[in-house]
Amino acid sequence: MNDHRSDKPLRPAVFLDRDGTIIEDRGDLARPSQVAFFADTFPALKRLNRFFDLFIVTNQSGVSTGAMTMEDVKCVNAHVVSELALFDIRIRETYVCPHKPNDGCSCVKPKPYFLRKAETDHGIDLKRSFAIGDHPHDVAFAENAGAKGIYVLSGHGEKHQEELSGDVVVVGGIREAADRILGPAGRKGPNP
Ligand SMILES: [Mg+2]
Ligand SMILES: [Zn+2]
């Protein structure tokens, strides 16, 4: 924790996977025109953003394989963030791992590197935070830093569901994930 933030209350956050969770998973995206949002993403994130800081955390190994450049990924991410901003949804930071899973980097999910970075850089309370994603490593990512994981069946979620181990919260998509975090309709705040 940075000293200059230690006097501020810690904030809870939701860490969003990108492909298959808030936009369709169409493989390696190199251009903004390839982005296709799920319709549920806008209302779901709008509701979550009332109570939580929002981050995007995405593994983009296609940078390492040469399928696209880091500049391509940044351009696509900037488009995603700006489309969400049109609905007053604020993404505090977008974190990208450009490495292959077996590269031995420190930042690939399920390693909790970017959760720790958000904790340090943005004063996030990981114990009150969630990570949502369509791959088992998105759930493990949360659990590896004491946050709660929510698995969505959108994107590649159905395909990988049998790889889940342990007691995992599984929901249909981003709308149901927001419902799970915020509680039944009409509740004023997040589930305890
Ligand atoms: Mg995904
Ligand atoms: Zn990495």
Side-chain angles (χ1 to χ4, degrees):
M1 185 65 49
N2 292 345
D3 285 345
H4 70 280
R5 293 187 183 275
S6 58
D7 54 336
K8 290 190 184 173
L10 297 176
R11 302 171 55 81
V14 177
F15 296 85
L16 303 153
D17 173 51
R18 196 191 78 183
D19 302 341
T21 301
I22 63 171
I23 66 173
E24 288 181 18
D25 191 332
R26 295 180 167 180
D28 296 320
L29 302 186
R31 294 189 304 280
S33 62
Q34 297 169 309
V35 171
F37 277 94
F38 294 126
D40 283 345
T41 293
F42 298 99
L45 298 195
K46 183 101 177 142
R47 288 161 58 210
L48 287 172
N49 207 183
R50 290 178 57 202
F51 301 101
F52 293 89
D53 286 4
L54 300 179
F55 295 83
I56 294 171
V57 186
T58 181
N59 287 352
Q60 294 294 333
S61 61
V63 174
S64 279
T65 64
M68 70 259 187
T69 67
M70 192 62 176
E71 281 311 305
D72 292 333
V73 173
K74 285 182 179 170
C75 189
V76 168
N77 288 343
H79 173 72
V80 169
V81 168
S82 69
E83 289 293 299
L84 293 172
L86 294 176
F87 292 79
D88 291 325
I89 297 160
R90 182 179 174 217
I91 303 296
R92 290 206 69 173
E93 193 156 353
T94 302
Y95 296 121
V96 178
C97 167
H99 310 107
K100 291 196 284 283
N102 54 3
D103 278 351
C105 75
S106 59
C107 57
V108 71
K109 292 183 283 188
K111 291 181 182 172
Y113 177 85
F114 287 126
L115 292 176
R116 296 294 181 203
K117 187 160 172 51
E119 179 182 48
T120 302
D121 292 354
H122 296 282
I124 298 303
D125 183 356
L126 296 178
K127 289 188 299 301
R128 289 190 292 144
S129 295
F130 297 83
I132 304 172
D134 68 324
H135 194 281
H137 67 217
D138 293 308
V139 174
F141 173 62
E143 291 171 348
N144 285 339
K148 298 177 198 72
I150 296 185
Y151 188 83
V152 289
L153 295 172
S154 54
H156 291 179
E158 242 172 80
K159 187 171 71 182
H160 291 290
Q161 188 177 8
E162 62 196 29
E163 299 163 29
L164 288 173
S165 55
D167 195 12
V168 175
V169 174
V170 179
V171 298
I174 188 68
R175 175 165 53 90
E176 293 83 359
D179 289 343
R180 182 60 70 106
I181 292 169
L182 295 170
R187 271 185 77 128
K188 291 283 186 276
N191 279 325

